[in-house]
């Protein structure tokens, strides 16, 4: 019975990757499924990487297999332990854990031996063509390439030159080791690709032991084969590299042969997703760092207040496909908003304050007002019935937008001679206001109806607004974020020109005491304003809140 249930689970309808895996299991190609996530530690992971993480670790979970984390540290110029630590943190934050942790550098000795083996088999040679000459010899999509004049060197000469490359006798770019495959192949990747190059750079793990480093296309399939990876799941740009992947495994004599399957990368409107270009934003000072809340990196999304559950929900809705497509960024915000709505405390804050004085309320009088932490919580929910208290008194702050001297029709907030309810408290009526020389309202005067306390009064008014008591108000900075890119379609060529100059706006206002001691990362809904997260910049003297997403939802989910 247990075996039948297992088979039923494995064959459940899903995406095309699972279908391929089901076929391989049915045909007996593999008995235990194993995947890997192999990022290069040369930057911080972004939401596109999250898709690859969810796919690889999702396969592990579905088939009760394994998934390794392998750091592809084959290019020491760009790599750093800072990025290694960040990658680990992001994977854990998304809710996944790896079975084994490896580095490409763990295999440097073995990879080198594999290169020696290929030379001895006559399948690799040392080439001295310059990069320009190599491009010329390579040919085009419609014309075959030409053999390098160094292609027919003897095995002994190639072994000697490769050994001297390893000993540091040649300058960078002088020589490379190339696989000897087919310069007439219709696949450009098979036209004698470079598999080793000279690099004089200090490696974050191996130090100065090596001055030759393997290329990804050579190292990656070997590592997969050694680790027993059954399915090498990668993005669509590697589809043309698949014949080379298979060639390396075959040429090196591995009995275990992983299967490479490609999927479409994640593309989102108004979003640039390339570590190279994100690095340009950081180094150019266009953003404050990799974790700037406007960035699509996972650390930035975490800082902004996105939840791992919302990101995974978004990726599930976006789906796993073979063809490239672009997903509306509004769908990501919708998923974030849905998750936060279901789990976040409600509280009051005023981000652009104006003082209201309630003339008929005695000075020094305070009335406790209860605010439900999560009004939509159902019985059994951890937050069910939780409330906090705000002290209502003679002076409160309200949003400047909630008062107009000359309001339009159907303006149901506060106005001269108009009434509104202050959330959880009383109905107040505007009886006057003060303005400065520019006409800006500096103070509003109201009276309150003592018989209109919320929950105890049947009298209705059309508007309800939030407020913060002046005597308990705590200063706070609110960072209001918008899309970093002002255009839906961005590319590597014009992404700097399409940066939104209004992607962040700073407001200084007040929060209620309930929010005073919340730690960095705490998420809440500020009533009628949006969802916010406490920023790590917060101090006891100055609280800082990042707007995660607004309350208004422009995304319309497809009807099932």
């Amino acid at each position: 019975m247990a075996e039948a249930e297992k088979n039923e689970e494995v064959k459940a309808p899903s995406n095309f990757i699972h279908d391929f895996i089901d076929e391989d299991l049915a045909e007996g190609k593999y008995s235990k499924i194993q995947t890997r996530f192999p990022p290069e530690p040369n930057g911080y992971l972004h939401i596109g990487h999250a898709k690859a993480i969810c796919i690889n670790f999702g396969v592990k979970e579905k088939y009760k297999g394994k998934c390794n984390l392998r750091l592809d540290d084959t290019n020491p110029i760009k790599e750093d332990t800072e990025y290694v630590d960040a990658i680990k943190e992001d994977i854990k934050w998304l809710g996944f854990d790896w079975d084994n942790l490896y580095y490409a550098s763990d295999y440097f000795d073995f990879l080198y031996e594999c290169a020696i083996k290929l030379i001895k088999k006559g399948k690799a040679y040392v080439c001295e063509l310059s990069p320009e000459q190599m491009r010329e010899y390579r040919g085009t999509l419609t014309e075959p390439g030409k053999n390098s004049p160094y292609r027919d060197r003897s095995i002994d000469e190639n072994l000697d030159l490769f050994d001297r490359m390893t000993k540091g006798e040649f300058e960078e770019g002088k020589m490379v080791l190339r696989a000897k495959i087919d310069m007439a192949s219709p696949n450009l990747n098979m036209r004698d690709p470079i598999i080793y190059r000279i690099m004089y750079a200090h490696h974050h793990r191996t130090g100065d032991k090596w001055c030759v480093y393997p290329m990804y296309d050579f190292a990656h399939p070997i590592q997969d084969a050694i680790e027993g990876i059954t399915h090498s799941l990668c993005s669509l740009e590697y589809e043309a590299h698949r014949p080379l992947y298979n060639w390396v495994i075959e040429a090196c004599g591995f009995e275990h042969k992983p299967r490479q399957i490609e999927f479409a990368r994640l593309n989102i409107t108004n979003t640039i997703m390339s570590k190279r270009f994100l690095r340009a934003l950081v180094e150019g000072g266009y953003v404050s760092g990799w974790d700037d809340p406007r960035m699509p990196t996972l650390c930035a999304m975490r800082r902004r207040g996105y939840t791992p559950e919302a990101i995974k929900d978004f990726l599930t809705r976006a789906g796993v496909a073979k063809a490239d497509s672009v997903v509306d960024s509004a769908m990501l915000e919708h998923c974030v908003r849905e998750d936060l709505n279901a789990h976040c405390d409600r509280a009051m804050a005023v981000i652009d304050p104006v003082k209201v004085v309630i003339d008929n309320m005695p000075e020094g009088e305070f009335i406790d007002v209860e605010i439900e932490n999560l009004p939509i919580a159902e019985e059994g929910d951890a937050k069910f019935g939780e409330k906090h208290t705000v002290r209502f008194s003679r002076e409160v702050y309200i949003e400047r937008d909630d008062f107009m001297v000359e309001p339009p029709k159907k303006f149901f907030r506060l106005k001269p001679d108009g009434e509104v309810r202050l959330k959880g408290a009383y109905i107040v009526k505007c009886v006057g206001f003060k303005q400065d020389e520019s006409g800006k309202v500096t103070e509003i005067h109201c009276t309150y109806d003592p018989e209109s306390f919320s929950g105890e009064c049947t009298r209705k008014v059309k508007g309800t607004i939030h407020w913060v008591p002046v005597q308990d108000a705590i200063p706070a900075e609110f960072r209001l974020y918008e899309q970093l890119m002002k255009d839906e379609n961005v590319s590597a060529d014009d992404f700097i020109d399409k940066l939104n100059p209004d992607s962040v706006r700073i407001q200084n206002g007040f929060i209620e005491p309930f929010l005073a001691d919340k730690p960095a990362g705490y998420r809440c809904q500020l009533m009628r304003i949006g969802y916010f997260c406490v920023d790590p910049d917060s101090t006891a003297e100055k609280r800082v809140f990042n707007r995660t997403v607004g309350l208004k939802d422009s995304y319309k989910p497809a009807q099932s």
Side-chain angles (χ1 to χ4, degrees):
M1 180 63 181
E3 186 64 31
E5 289 177 354
K6 178 181 176 182
N7 291 338
E8 182 181 349
E9 177 187 354
V10 170
K11 295 185 177 182
S14 48
N15 59 58
F16 75 96
I17 293 176
H18 296 166
D19 293 340
F20 282 141
I21 294 175
D22 290 342
E23 290 175 7
D24 290 341
L25 286 170
E27 294 172 8
K29 290 183 180 178
Y30 310 105
S31 58
K32 193 72 173 177
I33 301 303
Q34 184 158 332
T35 61
R36 80 293 166 270
F37 175 59
E40 182 181 3
N42 64 346
Y44 285 73
L45 300 183
H46 53 64
I47 192 169
H49 295 109
K51 177 177 181 177
I53 291 170
C54 289
I55 287 174
N56 279 286
F57 284 92
V59 165
K60 165 191 169 175
E61 292 175 355
K62 177 179 174 66
Y63 295 97
K64 296 181 173 59
K66 292 184 177 181
C67 183
N68 294 341
L69 170 61
R70 185 197 310 140
L71 284 307
D72 173 41
D73 55 348
T74 54
N75 187 357
I77 292 175
K78 298 180 179 180
E79 295 155 1
D80 195 276
T81 53
E82 171 192 352
Y83 304 132
V84 171
D85 294 339
I87 288 168
K88 294 177 183 177
E89 182 180 3
D90 286 342
I91 295 173
K92 295 278 191 180
W93 178 69
L94 281 174
F96 298 110
D97 198 3
W98 49 88
D99 290 279
N100 299 288
L101 172 63
Y102 297 116
Y103 293 81
S105 52
D106 293 336
Y107 302 97
F108 279 174
D109 290 289
F110 186 79
L111 293 167
Y112 186 79
E113 292 303 318
C114 287
I116 296 292
K117 181 186 295 186
L118 291 186
I119 293 174
K120 289 180 177 179
K121 286 184 174 182
K123 294 180 180 292
Y125 63 97
V126 174
C127 183
E128 296 179 53
L129 290 178
S130 68
E132 294 76 16
Q133 291 172 323
M134 203 169 292
R135 281 193 291 271
E136 179 185 343
Y137 274 66
R138 193 184 189 197
T140 67
L141 291 171
T142 56
E143 297 179 357
K146 298 184 297 182
N147 286 347
S148 165
Y150 306 103
R151 197 175 196 266
D152 295 324
R153 276 176 161 152
S154 69
I155 289 174
D156 287 341
E157 185 179 7
N158 282 316
L159 289 172
D160 176 63
L161 287 172
F162 191 48
D163 180 62
R164 292 170 63 191
M165 285 171 60
T166 308
K167 292 177 178 177
E169 294 186 19
F170 306 112
E171 63 186 33
E172 285 188 18
K174 175 66 175 176
M175 294 182 180
V176 294
L177 184 67
R178 299 175 67 179
K180 186 186 290 188
I181 306 179
D182 182 5
M183 290 302 296
S185 171
N187 186 330
L188 296 180
N189 296 292
M190 299 296 282
R191 295 182 186 178
D192 291 10
I194 298 172
I195 59 176
Y196 259 91
R197 79 285 204 197
I198 300 170
M199 293 181 72
Y200 294 106
H202 185 80
H203 192 279
H204 71 105
R205 294 187 74 238
T206 60
D208 299 315
K209 177 181 178 180
W210 297 95
C211 63
V212 292
Y213 290 92
M215 300 296 287
Y216 178 83
D217 277 343
F218 179 67
H220 181 63
I222 293 174
Q223 292 159 176
D224 281 352
I226 294 172
E227 293 174 17
I229 302 303
T230 57
H231 295 86
S232 179
L233 310 177
C234 54
S235 49
L236 201 57
E237 66 264 33
Y238 288 101
E239 184 174 31
H241 296 243
R242 194 196 313 158
L244 177 56
Y245 179 95
N246 294 334
W247 183 90
V248 170
I249 290 173
E250 191 68 39
C252 290
F254 288 103
E255 292 186 10
H256 177 76
K257 295 178 173 56
R259 177 179 183 175
Q260 178 174 304
I261 303 173
E262 307 86 15
F263 55 86
R265 296 181 67 172
L266 178 66
N267 298 298
I268 306 175
T269 58
N270 299 86
T271 309
I272 189 81
M273 284 193 293
S274 161
K275 277 192 286 188
R276 182 158 61 98
F277 301 122
L278 296 178
R279 181 190 296 275
L281 292 177
V282 173
E283 295 178 350
Y286 298 102
V287 294
S288 61
W290 288 96
D291 67 343
D292 186 303
R294 295 167 291 176
M295 293 275 275
T297 53
L298 294 179
C299 60
M301 291 181 168
R302 180 164 60 247
R303 182 175 180 180
R304 184 163 174 169
Y306 283 26
T307 65
E309 293 77 16
I311 291 173
K312 289 189 282 190
D313 179 31
F314 165 71
L315 294 171
T316 298
R317 297 187 193 207
V320 179
K322 188 74 173 177
D324 281 324
S325 61
V326 180
V327 184
D328 191 343
S329 57
M331 185 168 83
L332 174 57
E333 292 186 352
H334 171 79
C335 294
V336 173
R337 193 177 288 108
E338 273 201 341
D339 187 56
L340 295 179
N341 181 58
H343 301 102
C344 276
D345 289 334
R346 272 53 166 170
M348 294 192 292
V350 177
I351 67 173
D352 187 12
V354 61
K355 183 190 288 186
V356 172
V357 179
I358 302 171
D359 294 337
N360 63 334
M361 188 168 189
E363 290 189 22
E365 182 174 324
F366 302 102
I367 299 169
D368 286 344
V369 171
E370 286 191 330
I371 301 294
E372 288 185 272
N373 288 5
L374 189 58
I376 65 171
E378 298 179 356
E379 193 168 356
D381 189 304
K383 289 185 178 293
F384 179 72
E386 283 189 3
K387 298 178 181 180
H388 67 273
T389 300
V390 187
R391 294 198 305 167
F392 182 75
S393 60
R394 177 183 171 86
E395 294 183 346
V396 300
Y397 290 118
I398 67 168
E399 291 292 347
R400 186 168 298 278
D401 286 347
D402 282 339
F403 176 78
M404 292 190 72
V405 175
E406 297 179 358
K409 290 183 178 180
K410 296 186 178 180
F411 183 80
F412 299 125
R413 289 167 280 169
L414 194 60
K415 56 190 175 184
D417 296 321
E419 291 185 315
V420 295
R421 176 176 291 283
L422 296 181
K423 173 70 177 176
Y426 295 93
I427 295 173
V428 298
K429 180 178 181 178
C430 175
V431 295
F433 56 90
K434 296 178 182 179
Q435 294 173 290
D436 63 16
E437 293 178 356
S438 68
K440 181 179 180 180
V441 174
T442 58
E443 190 171 277
I444 302 166
H445 285 261
C446 293
T447 58
Y448 84 110
D449 177 0
E451 304 300 322
S452 65
F453 191 73
S454 183
E456 299 175 3
C457 172
T458 58
R459 188 159 76 87
K460 304 292 185 183
V461 290
K462 290 187 175 180
T464 299
I465 63 175
H466 61 283
W467 52 278
V468 171
V470 171
Q471 80 281 352
D472 294 330
I474 297 169
E477 176 182 295
F478 302 93
R479 298 172 181 176
L480 310 179
Y481 294 103
E482 302 290 348
Q483 294 278 6
L484 182 59
M485 298 294 168
K486 61 186 177 183
D487 197 295
E488 275 196 11
N489 303 305
V490 293
S491 68
D493 300 323
D494 62 2
F495 74 101
I496 295 296
D497 296 332
K498 291 183 176 179
L499 288 173
N500 178 9
D502 302 315
S503 58
V504 61
R505 179 166 56 93
I506 306 298
Q507 289 282 145
N508 289 291
F510 300 99
I511 56 173
E512 58 163 289
F514 174 69
L515 299 173
D517 58 354
K518 301 303 182 186
Y522 171 80
R523 308 177 187 94
C524 62
Q525 183 196 105
L526 299 184
M527 294 180 190
R528 302 178 61 237
I529 304 175
Y531 294 95
F532 285 74
C533 177
V534 178
D535 189 84
D537 287 346
S538 284
T539 64
E541 294 74 30
K542 184 179 182 181
R543 309 302 293 163
V544 180
F545 287 77
N546 297 324
R547 182 169 65 187
T548 306
V549 66
L551 294 177
K552 187 177 180 181
D553 195 343
S554 62
Y555 178 71
K556 303 299 181 185
Q559 297 298 316
S560 56

